Amino acid sequence: MSGSAAEPPASGLDRTRDAYFEAVTAMDEATALDVVRRALARGDDPETLLLEVVAWAQRRVGLLWQTDDWSVAREHAATYMGERATALITEHATEAATPRGVVVVVCADGEWHSLPARLMGEVLRLRGWRVRFLGASVRTRHLALHLQEYSPDIVALSCSLPSRLIAAHGMIEAARRTGVPAIVGGAGFGGDGTLAERMGASLWAATATEAADLLEKGPPFPVRRGPASLPFSDEYTTILRRRKGLMGVCLRSAEEAHGGRGRVLEGADLDRTVEELAHILDFLLAALYVGDDRVFTRFLEWTRVVMESHGAPWGHVVGVLGVLEAELFDHPEAAALVALGRAAPGEG
């Protein structure tokens, strides 16, 4: 005997999600869907399958992309399988005994990660809600027109990226002005309800289950009567106007840095650099808009982890941040935030 305790036998849920994820990893859609069908035939709970199998697998997929183990194309294929599995589960689910109201599920403008919102919508559907899923990246004006025409009981807004918080705020305001309460969630709002409350949302939920539990208390739901209480920075507007110029200055700096190493910034490297610069400025603007430094510093910490896992030098970003800080010398709040972000990822 080795003296070590024997591993506990795997539960039915563990076996199901392991089999599902194994099929997703193999890019075997037919087998992944067959795993779900067998679980449904056994009588497994549909909500558990949605959240503890499909959503669980999707989180693992995201981590594999982040560590450069999976390509973007492979991650997209896995997401499509998640969409198909979600549809299969909800098609076979029985209708809830207690019918509820109408909820509009929507992703913030510019937010293309629609599967988390879709999963939340399907959990609500299982709980008896009539769900209208408007999909990814919905314009604020389109949401406003929809609310005016159909007057749902509540809007459920998903925002995965903090850089989309500005658009999310516009959508919360559109809902408030039409008298429709808004429940919000997603990684973009952070780990608590502080930003959601500050932006004028009626409710915040950390998970789809929590959202469904909160909504079981209504309708009706409270609607914020006054505007949001964001500590709006005057620097936000002026930096937004300067965004194109700041992009140009930072890009020239990156080109010079490549030239100093005897290389030309072009092709895929140029495209990636432009995308990274755009993200840096968008997250800086979002942090100034909502008055939360963590929106910017957490993005940089995440970026560093991703770059290091991909073998890309973090020093390139530090150099760009130094240029940006110098350019923002006449915007002390923004310059201090860039300096904080430049230092934060190197701590610990």
Side-chain angles (χ1 to χ4, degrees):
M1 294 181 62
S2 64
S4 60
E7 290 187 5
S11 68
L13 174 60
D14 288 336
R15 290 192 296 270
T16 297
R17 61 184 179 188
D18 287 346
Y20 175 80
F21 187 70
E22 183 179 342
V24 169
T25 300
M27 297 288 106
D28 187 347
E29 180 183 332
T31 299
L33 296 181
D34 191 52
V35 169
V36 172
R37 287 191 188 95
R38 292 199 304 270
L40 290 167
R42 288 194 303 269
D44 288 7
D45 176 54
E47 185 172 325
T48 299
L49 290 175
L50 285 173
L51 299 179
E52 299 300 330
V53 176
V54 178
W56 174 87
Q58 199 61 29
R59 287 193 295 271
R60 290 194 66 181
V61 167
L63 289 173
L64 286 166
W65 169 83
Q66 182 177 330
T67 56
D68 206 28
D69 291 305
W70 280 26
S71 66
V72 172
R74 194 174 182 186
E75 182 266 336
H76 285 182
T79 300
Y80 173 72
M81 279 187 260
E83 295 276 3
R84 295 268 286 135
T86 298
L88 181 62
I89 293 166
T90 53
E91 283 171 10
H92 285 75
T94 56
E95 201 167 303
T98 305
R100 303 188 185 277
V102 176
V103 56
V104 168
V105 178
V106 62
C107 294
D109 189 4
E111 176 60 72
W112 295 100
H113 296 82
S114 63
L115 185 54
R118 171 85 187 280
L119 287 165
M120 177 183 64
E122 298 306 338
V123 169
L124 294 177
R125 197 188 306 276
L126 292 173
R127 300 282 189 100
W129 288 87
R130 285 177 290 159
V131 177
R132 296 179 188 145
F133 180 53
L134 303 189
S137 189
V138 175
R139 295 288 183 91
T140 299
R141 66 176 182 274
H142 296 161
L143 175 64
L145 289 171
H146 186 88
L147 298 183
Q148 290 168 9
E149 184 173 2
Y150 294 103
S151 300
D153 293 291
I154 193 162
V155 172
L157 173 64
S158 175
C159 181
S160 298
L161 293 173
S163 58
R164 311 320 306 169
L165 285 172
I166 299 167
H169 177 226
M171 299 174 86
I172 293 169
E173 277 293 288
R176 184 185 67 82
R177 288 170 181 164
T178 54
V180 178
I183 181 171
V184 303
F189 287 98
D192 58 41
T194 302
L195 281 180
E197 181 178 2
R198 194 182 294 171
M199 295 170 72
S202 299
L203 299 167
W204 170 82
T207 65
T209 300
E210 187 176 320
D213 291 345
L214 282 171
L215 295 190
E216 284 188 356
K217 300 175 182 178
F221 303 101
V223 180
R224 289 279 292 266
R225 297 301 174 189
S229 56
L230 291 172
F232 187 77
S233 169
D234 292 336
E235 294 185 7
Y236 165 78
T237 303
T238 55
I239 294 174
L240 180 62
R241 293 194 186 109
R242 292 182 58 190
R243 185 181 184 279
K244 183 178 180 180
L246 292 169
M247 277 281 294
V249 170
C250 292
L251 182 57
R252 285 193 294 274
S253 171
E255 289 172 334
E256 290 169 1
H258 272 70
R261 295 189 297 272
R263 298 173 55 191
V264 177
L265 185 60
E266 58 186 359
D269 287 341
L270 176 60
D271 293 342
R272 186 165 48 250
T273 299
V274 170
E275 184 179 18
E276 288 169 356
L277 292 176
H279 285 322
I280 288 171
L281 287 169
D282 286 345
F283 275 85
L284 174 63
L285 286 165
L288 292 170
Y289 187 91
V290 301
D292 191 332
D293 294 351
R294 295 172 298 175
V295 169
F296 188 60
T297 57
R298 286 174 178 170
F299 158 71
L300 291 176
E301 290 165 4
W302 177 85
T303 300
R304 179 179 63 85
V305 171
V306 171
M307 289 184 68
E308 289 179 351
S309 68
H310 291 196
W314 170 247
H316 290 177
V317 175
V318 173
V320 168
L321 291 174
V323 172
L324 184 59
E325 182 183 351
E327 284 294 311
L328 294 173
F329 72 94
D330 53 345
H331 294 77
E333 184 180 348
L337 180 51
V338 173
L340 179 65
R342 185 157 56 96
E347 294 176 356

